[in-house]
Amino acid sequence: MNRSNNRFKALAAFTLLGVIASACAAPQSQPAPSEPTAAPQQPAPSEPTAAPPAAEPFIFGMVIVGPVNDKGWNEAHFKGAQYVVEKLPNVKFEYVDKVNPADRPNVKGSQVADEMIAKGAKLIIFNSDDFKDDALETAKKHPNIVVIHASGDYAWKEGKNYKGQPNLGNLMSKMEPGWMIAGCASALGSENGKIGTVGPLINEETRRYASAAYLGARYCWENYKKRDPKELQFKITWIGFWFNIPGVTLDPTKVADDFYNSDFDVVMSAIDTPEAAIQGKKAAEAGKAVKYHHYSYKGGCEPAPDICLGVHYYNWGPGYLDIVKRVLDGTYTATWTWAEPDWSDLNNPDTSAFGYLKGKALGAENEKFLDEFIKGLGDGSIVLWKGPLNFQDGSVFLKEGEVATDQQIWYLPQLLEGMEGPSK
Amino acid sequence: MNSTIPSQTTLPWLWRLPALVYRSGALIISLLLIGLIVLLSGASPIEVIGRMLVGAVSTPDQIGRVVATLSTLLLCAAGLVYTFNAGLYNLGVEGQVTFGAIATTFVLRLLYPEEATASLLPPPLTIALGILAGALGGVLWGLLAGALHVYGRISEIFAGLGLNFAATGVAIYLIFGPWKRPGVASLSGTQPFDESLWLGTFGQTEATPVGLGLGLLALLITIVVMRNTYFGLRLRAVGKNQYAAHVLGVPARQQLLSAFFICGLFAGLAGAIQVVGVFHRLIPNISSNLGFLGLLVVMLVNFDPLWVLPVALFFSALNIGSLQLPLSLGLESSLAGVIQGLLVLFALLGRGLAQRYAAS
């Protein structure tokens, strides 16, 4: 082996170190930090009275799939946990974020839960559908610890995947109406009826969300804009995960750009990160008449307020607060909760499971239509999960007049007829 | 000898220090740098190291995970001892782990189809066949890299990296395509295997006796082969000087391919253990980057298998203990990767300086 070859190989060794360092680095999808990324929260200030010795704080832990400052799903959960700490004295919150195979290669969700339990956590929350196996494993391993899997259905007795694990519960915001509102706003904001959606991965949750958005868009396109539903083009491109993982998922920046460059004048985001907003802003600055609709995080219109139609966001605080209270007083039993919004005040942080904020780009006239639509959803005068509805392959989903059950909605097997994009 | 670098004999006397001075000096500099980086991230270096090490051995779960990581790491490192001693930088070890895991998953799915309620063969036999398939998958991917290098004259580094991407691509295709969960295509991987196909563990921990046994056995065999056999001697001869070895009658090509074969075998076993012992399914990053970590371990011990066990144990402990950084200190756990990288980088630097400049 000659010397130049050895030097080349030594260079390769250093390259290897670089590869490992980059593998360990923070994900590229992570936005600029606006929050501390992993600082454990302090317990709420104890009462100022002097007398009794301070009781041990109640610790609950959260295993978070993405970064807590993602302006999306994960940040909403993080804020929900903070809400609990603010509302209850002597409660401490521990968390580890970015628990996914790309960011933490040798770390499993169940492993993080074990660590939290070893540090005294009495309640563990897993915040992603991807943690369903970890949540079940943790619940089985620690029968005295309450485990909550946000978005799953293992505790739903009437569901298909009921496990009967007495310490494993589920909590999910009933966001389907939120998606209908989002779809409606997008249709109202579109001039040419071409609505694109940057979708995450394909599962039951994302199928029913996309379908709800389509139903809302079709209703408002037809009833408020008085346009032919056949003119509506509703397309979804799945990137493969909730956020960009370079080399693994489709790049949501490119997906959003493809929509904007293909004459789609509204792009909806269904992922955790704001690529639709950022690329929309660039397209608008380049002279295109485009708008976007964000999802999941309250501040979703902030990246590009002038072209934002609105944002439907999760409000996990009330649901988590209820669970922690019930665990504290010993009355919690494993249940599947599909938390409803407060239709009388959607943006009430103490009562509603999701909220909706209108964006500047919606316009005053469309706002009136949207308010009417929201009112109709809330009072039950508008029911969109109602037949006749067909699946994408043409088979019947709901017959004329038939209203979908919770099970039919939750386990939606396909996208609906009229939507573009793969169902499976 | 490169004319721009002064040889030992032309160096001023001040530079002609014992090798130990260069090596320990490099270690001290690396520790100082690590301390500086930790300080800059707003924490105490002593506390960081302490938390990481204590966080690896405080509970049975933690010890179990250290052992589980060690098992895979030992297999990768043992395999890499052969390729390094043959003068090969087998960066493709990650792909060999991944392809081994794919092969194991293939056989397990074949013998326990999704619609079945039990394995077609007794579960221990199914697991054994799965592990065997993993080894064969690793061999296939290792030999592919070897063939590209030996017959195609492609650097083993680029061949390995390319095959890593290919193996990951195949895994992702299978997870999102033919092997996806019913109704779900997700990076969380394939449907977990039935518990009857999980390797038994020490108590409720994740450490498996089979995984640990295979790791230790692979290392033991490697120590014996490298120190006590003609094969090991010939391998080192090829690694030192391929041309001279050839002139002296050592079949260099055969030796190189053998090194790839053995490394692929052990890496494939590691992939199999990741499937049946750790994740119980195929996930995109099934190797957990432990192949890369194995490269660092073997480089740090100067390719001597005798020292692999303690260093691999230390790195496994750091790897598992690093979870304490976000949990206890609010720090990013990738700091552990920086610590590992700096230790290896400066160890290599110290060794290189010692070889070049040290007084004999």
Side-chain angles (χ1 to χ4, degrees), chain A residues 297-317:
Chain A
Y297 179 65
K298 203 171 181 177
C301 278
E302 287 164 11
D306 292 336
I307 59 164
C308 182
L309 289 165
V311 56
H312 50 311
Y313 62 92
Y314 289 99
N315 183 29
W316 296 95

Side-chain angles (χ1 to χ4, degrees), chain B residues 292-339:
Chain B
F292 282 139
L293 196 56
L295 284 161
L296 296 188
V297 169
V298 180
M299 282 197 281
L300 195 59
V301 299
N302 199 18
F303 320 149
D304 184 351
L306 211 54
W307 293 98
V308 162
L309 182 59
V311 175
L313 182 60
F314 175 69
F315 275 24
S316 300
L318 277 188
N319 192 290
I320 296 304
S322 65
L323 192 54
Q324 296 303 316
L325 298 181
L327 257 178
S328 303
L329 299 172
L331 294 173
E332 182 50 59
S333 60
S334 56
L335 202 56
V338 176
I339 293 172

Side-chain angles (χ1 to χ4, degrees), chain A residues 228-284:
Chain A
D228 185 350
K230 287 178 186 163
E231 291 174 17
L232 186 68
Q233 186 182 359
F234 193 97
K235 181 177 178 180
I236 185 159
T237 302
W238 309 101
I239 66 163
F241 202 58
W242 301 99
F243 45 80
N244 182 33
I245 302 177
V248 176
T249 63
L250 291 184
D251 184 347
T253 297
K254 288 183 181 163
V255 173
D257 276 345
D258 281 349
F259 278 131
Y260 290 124
N261 293 331
S262 312
D263 207 22
F264 282 79
D265 66 349
V266 173
V267 175
M268 300 177 73
S269 175
I271 60 174
D272 291 349
T273 45
E275 286 82 357
I278 293 163
Q279 299 314 110
K281 188 179 180 185
K282 287 179 188 168

Side-chain angles (χ1 to χ4, degrees), chain A residues 109-304:
Chain A
S110 56
Q111 174 186 352
V112 177
D114 284 346
E115 295 289 335
M116 290 171 170
I117 292 165
K119 287 165 72 73
K122 300 292 182 217
L123 163 67
I124 299 292
I125 299 168
F126 290 89
N127 92 322
S128 171
D129 185 59
D130 279 346
F131 288 135
K132 63 174 74 162
D133 304 319
D134 295 280
L136 183 61
E137 188 180 331
T138 302
K140 282 182 178 173
K141 189 172 175 180
H142 303 280
N144 297 322
I145 301 294
V146 174
V147 177
I148 299 295
H149 178 216
S151 82
D153 63 343
Y154 282 177
W156 191 10
K157 280 184 184 167
E158 293 77 28
K160 286 182 186 173
N161 302 309
Y162 179 61
K163 300 291 180 191
Q165 182 65 31
N167 59 329
L168 174 62
N170 295 119
L171 172 68
M172 186 61 182
S173 297
K174 198 166 197 172
M175 186 53 103
E176 286 70 15
W179 276 102
M180 288 174 177
I181 298 168
C184 176
S186 299
L188 292 172
S190 174
E191 295 304 322
N192 63 10
K194 292 183 73 167
I195 300 172
T197 301
V198 184
L201 49 91
I202 308 173
N203 64 17
E204 285 150 350
E205 175 190 338
T206 58
R207 273 196 296 266
R208 62 178 187 264
Y209 281 175
S211 299
Y214 170 69
L215 289 175
R218 196 179 68 173
Y219 181 90
C220 294
W221 184 254
E222 190 174 7
N223 291 283
Y224 299 132
K225 292 209 93 165
K226 306 294 181 194
R227 302 275 290 269
D228 185 350
K230 287 178 186 163
E231 291 174 17
L232 186 68
Q233 186 182 359
F234 193 97
K235 181 177 178 180
I236 185 159
T237 302
W238 309 101
I239 66 163
F241 202 58
W242 301 99
F243 45 80
N244 182 33
I245 302 177
V248 176
T249 63
L250 291 184
D251 184 347
T253 297
K254 288 183 181 163
V255 173
D257 276 345
D258 281 349
F259 278 131
Y260 290 124
N261 293 331
S262 312
D263 207 22
F264 282 79
D265 66 349
V266 173
V267 175
M268 300 177 73
S269 175
I271 60 174
D272 291 349
T273 45
E275 286 82 357
I278 293 163
Q279 299 314 110
K281 188 179 180 185
K282 287 179 188 168
E285 284 168 354
K288 287 186 190 300
V290 297
K291 296 164 190 164
Y292 78 99
H293 196 287
H294 201 61
Y295 159 59
S296 197
Y297 179 65
K298 203 171 181 177
C301 278
E302 287 164 11

Side-chain angles (χ1 to χ4, degrees), chain A residues 3 9 12 14 17 24 38 98 101 104-106 108 111 114-115 119 130 133 141 201-202 207 424, chain B residues 61-62 65 69 87 156-157 180-181 183 185-186 206 278 285 288 296 319 324 330 332-334 345 356:
Chain A
R3 183 171 295 278
K9 290 190 171 181
F14 286 96
L17 291 170
C24 293
K98 294 182 281 182
R104 299 190 192 275
N106 198 32
K108 296 200 292 184
Q111 174 186 352
D114 284 346
E115 295 289 335
K119 287 165 72 73
D130 279 346
D133 304 319
K141 189 172 175 180
L201 49 91
I202 308 173
R207 273 196 296 266
K424 292 178 181 176
Chain B
D61 281 329
Q62 289 167 347
R65 289 204 170 89
T69 301
E156 79 278 9
I157 293 170
K180 70 182 172 191
R181 289 176 167 215
S186 162
E206 286 189 359
V278 180
N285 191 12
S288 298
L296 296 188
N319 192 290
Q324 296 303 316
E332 182 50 59
S333 60
S334 56
L345 192 65
R356 186 155 293 181

